[in-house]
């Protein structure tokens, strides 16, 4: 092919645009950095504090709380494929308020807030090969705050003095010593959407496979009981080409 001076500017323009075209191409491997917020509740702690049939005329109320988190993940997905995989580091919280009241007027609240850092992985299915996706996977994490219980009560009121109960602060200390948080293992799944300009949204649910709290030998009749967690998390992230 012979190029004349007339088509030289067009050739130079095409060459200059080649790097821009290469940069615009979508990479199969991306870095996903995201932050999340959600709802967490830990069921079964009431059975630890008051084992079944120990006594009656009392009521427990579990109240889940807002939690925060963040992920740094590596995503592998070919634009022409139905499937992708992602994995990396995850930070998240579990947070529950458990309130007690009885017919004697005793009231207390056990606030459990735990922080975790670990690894997560998921398989992703893209029905239309891009954008909307369904994920399924799990995470395994170490506990950063094994003594994450806060305790408040009216047990020091004068009307309860005949029982000679421990102080509120001593009860909290005993709870953090005898009721310790465990490492977490959970399975989960959810829905997501990845926009072409990098933004991605995900809504996921996680079910804790392991007990959140381990009960040590104690003098308070606290018992080892099954206590699994439930978490719903909504994350917003950005995908960077690698």
């Amino acid at each position: 092919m012979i190029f004349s001076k007339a088509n030289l500017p067009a050739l130079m323009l095409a060459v200059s645009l080649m790097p821009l075209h290469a940069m615009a191409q979508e990479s199969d491997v991306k870095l996903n950095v995201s932050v999340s917020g959600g709802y967490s509740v830990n069921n079964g702690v009431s059975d630890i504090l008051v084992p079944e049939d120990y006594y009656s005329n009392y009521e427990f109320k579990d109240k889940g709380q807002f939690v925060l988190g963040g992920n740094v993940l590596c995503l592998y997905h070919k634009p022409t494929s139905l499937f992708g995989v992602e994995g990396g580091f995850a930070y998240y919280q579990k947070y529950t308020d458990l309130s007690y009241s009885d017919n004697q007027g005793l009231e207390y609240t056990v606030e459990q807030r735990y922080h975790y850092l670990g690894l997560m992985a998921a398989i992703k299915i893209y029905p239309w090969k891009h954008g909307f996706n369904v994920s399924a996977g799990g995470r395994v994490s170490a506990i950063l705050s094994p003594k994450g219980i806060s305790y408040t009560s009216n047990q020091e009121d004068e009307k309860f003095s005949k029982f000679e109960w421990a102080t509120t602060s001593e009860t909290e200390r005993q709870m953090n010593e005898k009721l310790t948080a465990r490492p977490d293992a959970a399975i989960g799944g959810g829905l997501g959407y990845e926009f072409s300009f990098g933004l991605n949204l995900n809504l996921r649910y996680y079910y804790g496979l392991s007990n959140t709290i381990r009960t040590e030998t104690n003098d308070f009749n606290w018992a080892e009981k099954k206590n699994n967690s439930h978490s719903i998390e909504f994350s917003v992230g950005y995908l960077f080409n690698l």
Side-chain angles (χ1 to χ4, degrees):
M1 187 179 212
I2 300 175
F3 295 99
S4 66
K5 292 183 178 180
N7 58 27
L8 183 59
L11 176 61
M12 295 178 62
L13 178 62
V15 171
S16 66
L17 290 177
M18 286 177 63
L20 295 177
H21 175 72
M23 291 177 61
Q25 289 182 335
E26 184 177 357
S27 172
D28 296 344
V29 182
K30 298 184 179 69
L31 181 69
N32 183 13
V33 180
S34 65
V35 294
S36 65
Y39 177 86
S40 172
V41 65
N42 183 28
N43 293 330
V45 180
S46 58
D47 292 333
I48 293 176
L49 300 178
V50 183
E52 294 179 14
D53 301 326
Y54 184 64
Y55 63 91
S56 58
N57 298 315
Y58 66 90
E59 180 183 24
F60 275 111
K61 291 183 180 179
D62 266 320
K63 184 179 180 182
Q65 298 291 326
F66 177 76
V67 290
L68 297 172
N71 301 318
V72 179
L73 308 173
C74 184
L75 170 66
Y76 176 76
H77 172 237
K78 285 183 174 293
T80 57
S81 175
L82 289 171
F83 300 97
V85 292
E86 69 176 357
F89 297 99
Y91 163 77
Y92 56 96
Q93 302 171 344
K94 293 182 182 180
Y95 188 10
T96 303
D97 276 355
L98 177 66
S99 298
Y100 169 95
S101 61
D102 62 26
N103 62 349
Q104 300 299 313
L106 176 64
E107 297 178 351
Y108 64 75
T109 298
V110 181
E111 181 183 280
Q112 312 141 60
R113 186 160 203 149
Y114 301 116
H115 303 259
Y116 297 85
L117 180 65
L119 301 174
M120 67 166 288
I123 296 174
K124 306 185 79 171
I125 301 174
Y126 296 79
W128 296 282
K129 300 183 180 179
H130 62 86
F132 176 74
N133 59 83
V134 180
S135 64
R139 58 192 183 190
V140 178
S141 305
I143 175 69
L144 301 179
S145 55
K147 299 181 179 182
I149 291 178
S150 296
Y151 177 82
T152 56
S153 173
N154 66 345
Q155 65 195 50
E156 295 183 52
D157 288 359
E158 181 64 29
K159 62 181 177 180
F160 300 121
S161 59
K162 62 181 179 180
F163 297 108
E164 298 183 348
W165 287 329
T167 63
T168 300
S169 59
E170 174 62 14
T171 303
E172 179 179 283
R173 188 189 70 80
Q174 289 289 338
M175 281 188 167
N176 279 302
E177 182 178 319
K178 303 299 183 180
L179 307 177
T180 55
R182 303 181 62 184
D184 184 47
I187 57 174
L191 307 175
Y193 195 91
E194 297 168 6
F195 294 90
S196 59
F197 56 89
L199 179 70
N200 70 97
L201 309 175
N202 286 281
L203 179 65
R204 290 190 174 118
Y205 163 78
Y206 284 99
Y207 172 74
L209 297 175
S210 57
N211 287 342
T212 300
I213 294 175
R214 175 176 53 240
T215 306
E216 310 288 354
T217 302
N218 63 87
D219 298 323
F220 296 89
N221 296 306
W222 299 330
E224 180 75 19
K225 295 287 184 178
K226 189 176 180 65
N227 54 101
N228 301 100
S229 64
H230 303 265
S231 300
I232 298 175
E233 301 170 5
F234 177 75
S235 66
V236 179
Y238 193 86
L239 292 165
F240 298 91
N241 282 332
L242 294 180

